[in-house]
Amino acid sequence: NIDKMKAKTIHVDDKFLLIEKYLPSNFRLIKNGKELLIEGLLQKHCVNSYSNQINNGTCCILTCDYNDKKYTAEIRYGTDWFKDDNKDKYIINQFKGYANISAPKALEAELNSIIDTINEKELKIKNKKEVFNTSHNYEVVEYIDNPF
């Protein structure tokens, strides 16, 4: 029974709240501990254990409905260690479905596009796509030192 379980208190950092204005209606930012607890229980994964990272401002959690299934994304703010650009930006760290199955490629592409738009509009980081490479290569157009 969820009502008997203790949800942790979470506070979503302001830098993640701006993400909401870019989200389509099937995505939602998780803003409280009860939502986080329920997401982990329904999805049978460990998202509820991310409360400390949410509270220290390193990530936020999105939930998404897609083709009658739910998916959960962890969005981080910081350096993408897979890239050698040392620029803080929004990064999709994980995007999982029920019991940690991978999100569908089309949904992944949609979220990548949303995050690229946020990085471009809010942080002035331009995403440069390569024809045969699906990884992101970032080029600074006009970089603002940590606007938060």
Side-chain angles (χ1 to χ4, degrees), residues 34-53:
K34 186 172 182 179
E35 290 177 337
L36 189 67
L37 174 65
I38 291 170
E39 185 78 6
L41 292 171
L42 291 177
Q43 292 296 86
K44 300 230 182 282
H45 56 47
C46 67
V47 73
N48 191 45
S49 69
Y50 283 75
S51 59
N52 288 340
Q53 290 96 318

Side-chain angles (χ1 to χ4, degrees), residues 22 115-127 141-142:
Y22 294 95
I115 296 300
D116 288 345
T117 298
I118 294 167
N119 283 329
E120 184 175 338
K121 292 189 177 195
E122 299 292 335
L123 304 178
K124 310 300 185 221
I125 297 174
K126 182 83 172 161
N127 181 25
V141 173
E142 175 190 336

Side-chain angles (χ1 to χ4, degrees), residues 59-70:
C59 78
C60 73
I61 304 298
L62 303 179
T63 184
C64 171
D65 294 312
Y66 181 79
N67 290 343
D68 297 323
K69 294 182 181 174
K70 287 182 70 60

